[in-house]
Amino acid sequence: MSATFITSFAAAGTGPRVAVKDLIDMAGMPTTAGSRVLADAGVPAAADAACLAGLRTAGGQIVGRTNLHELALGVTGINPWFGTPTNPLDASRAPGGSSSGSAVAVAEGSAAVAYGTDTGGSIRIPAACCGVCGLKTTWGRIPVTGVRPLARSLDTVGPMAANVTDLILGMQLLEPGFAAAKLTVSPRVGRLLIPAAPDIDDAVTAALRATSWEISDLDPGEWLTATRWTSILLVAEAYQTNKDLFSRAADRLSADVARRLNAGRLVTPEQLAAAAKARAQWRARLTALFERFDLLVTPTLLILPPKLASAEELLEARCTLPVNFAGVPALSLPVPTRRSLPASIQLVAAWDGEDRLLAAGAAIEAAIG
């Protein structure tokens, strides 16, 4: 069986084909979170996660439960227990994590829509690595009841798809009645000038120029500060979520996950207090920016998808953490480079701005052909 899925199902109906990250409860099925420790326990979920209700009502066909970076705590998508999903763009490159199987499922055509989770970039990073679209939703918009937590103040559920049209379908399944907005005027766009590889910079520039939107360049200093604080908060909360598992089975977790949980164990109360202060300042800064701009833009990753052997480079190359720190929505979609691999542009909107975000994403998709 392909490492894309931990469990596959025969889908015989006519509803949309959907892949579901194995962090999301399905009644009667154990939720493995990509962990051999949890899989061996084999405890079946008592009920579906709340976010599956719309899919069930719409007659969606769940084609499988997708693989992931263990416990959703990692960016590479490499999983020593269930195998590593193969990046359809280039088998030698990392699929990205943690929602690796979900990204691969839509990239390879196994599903029209995949559900992922995003705590620090876990939808957007694999979307960027595999050349697909991913939507990190506003914190609290999609219910996470029945989704195994990682860092509760950062966790979100969102859709992944090969294109924006199917991403909108994914939002409609997660939130019945959802509709994308219509762009009646060109959005005001603030581009954060985060230093990236030349291929990435050029691809983002070309995509923005194709739209003819009004673009203003912004200093990325506060974005980079927010990145540092989110890293600390994420591992601290992840440790609190998993401390019982870590205390009894640290030697049965993949080495990188155990290392990051241990880093979270060492975060001090003073650091957490400073992170809370930094979060309030960052949210206030974004509130001010969204009075001036309709969208903020960065690359999703500062590099092209790395080789599997150097996949840890993604930790430093991701431009995703400040979005989770504030709780705002963000869309990642592929944009062409001069090479065979695409780059990925990230659009960020104000809280609950998913309808406008997807409209803007569709406009970029149309502009770049």
Side-chain angles (χ1 to χ4, degrees):
M1 184 175 66
S2 165
T4 303
F5 295 98
I6 289 176
T7 308
S8 295
F9 305 115
T14 58
R17 294 168 58 84
V18 180
V20 176
K21 187 176 184 177
D22 203 344
L23 202 69
I24 298 170
D25 284 353
M26 284 178 59
M29 299 286 299
T31 298
T32 73
S35 173
R36 179 54 65 191
V37 179
L38 296 179
D40 286 349
V43 179
D48 277 351
C51 63
L52 296 184
L55 183 157
R56 298 293 197 192
T57 300
Q61 306 297 303
I62 298 178
V63 299
R65 294 169 64 70
T66 55
N67 200 353
L68 62 148
H69 201 113
E70 186 174 18
L71 301 182
L73 184 57
V75 297
T76 69
I78 295 170
N79 189 307
W81 318 121
F82 294 98
T84 298
T86 301
N87 189 329
L89 295 178
D90 181 342
S92 71
R93 296 183 184 265
S98 67
S99 305
S100 49
S102 292
V104 171
V106 295
E108 70 185 13
S110 297
V113 172
Y115 290 172
T117 63
D118 194 310
T119 302
S122 284
I123 284 173
R124 291 160 288 155
I125 294 166
C129 286
C130 296
V132 299
C133 303
L135 179 65
K136 183 268 179 206
T137 54
T138 301
W139 185 85
R141 178 166 186 159
I142 305 300
V144 293
T145 305
V147 179
R148 192 180 194 279
L150 178 62
R152 271 300 190 214
S153 80
L154 303 168
D155 292 344
T156 59
V157 172
M160 307 174 76
N163 53 61
V164 174
T165 297
D166 284 342
L167 209 57
I168 293 169
L169 169 63
M171 268 303 288
Q172 291 167 340
L173 294 173
L174 286 166
E175 184 181 277
F178 176 84
K182 295 187 182 300
L183 286 185
T184 55
V185 296
S186 294
R188 301 162 299 163
V189 178
R191 181 180 179 181
L192 289 143
L193 296 178
I194 303 168
D199 284 340
I200 305 296
D201 261 338
D202 291 348
V204 171
T205 297
L208 291 174
R209 283 179 178 165
T211 65
S212 300
W213 292 343
E214 175 189 340
I215 313 293
S216 300
D217 292 339
L218 300 176
D219 185 285
E222 289 167 291
W223 181 277
L224 300 176
T225 299
T227 295
R228 291 193 295 273
W229 283 115
T230 318
S231 297
I232 292 169
L233 181 64
L234 194 159
V235 294
E237 290 194 13
Y239 172 71
Q240 290 302 317
T241 297
N242 292 288
K243 63 182 178 181
D244 292 340
L245 180 63
F246 183 74
S247 66
R248 63 184 167 82
D251 60 340
R252 296 180 61 203
L253 300 174
S254 49
D256 67 313
V257 170
R259 195 163 53 244
R260 296 190 75 197
L261 288 175
N262 190 56
R265 182 179 66 86
L266 300 175
V267 174
T268 66
E270 292 77 16
Q271 286 176 301
L272 288 176
K277 182 178 178 181
R279 174 181 257 181
Q281 292 171 340
W282 176 235
R283 286 175 172 166
R285 174 59 176 152
L286 282 185
T287 297
L289 282 173
F290 285 125
E291 290 174 356
R292 297 171 52 202
F293 301 107
D294 303 301
L295 299 171
L296 301 178
V297 171
T298 75
T300 304
L301 298 175
L302 302 176
I303 58 174
L304 291 171
K307 299 284 189 178
L308 284 161
S310 54
E312 286 288 335
E313 292 176 3
L314 290 167
L315 275 172
E316 299 298 324
R318 57 184 167 167
C319 292
T320 54
L321 288 168
V323 172
N324 300 82
F325 204 37
V328 294
L331 168 65
S332 291
L333 68 158
V335 292
T337 68
R338 290 183 293 268
R339 303 194 186 195
S340 58
L341 294 170
S344 177
I345 190 171
Q346 177 175 241
L347 311 181
V348 184
W351 296 264
D352 293 314
E354 284 86 344
D355 57 341
R356 300 182 299 281
L357 205 52
L358 287 164
I364 288 181
E365 205 172 62
I368 63 176

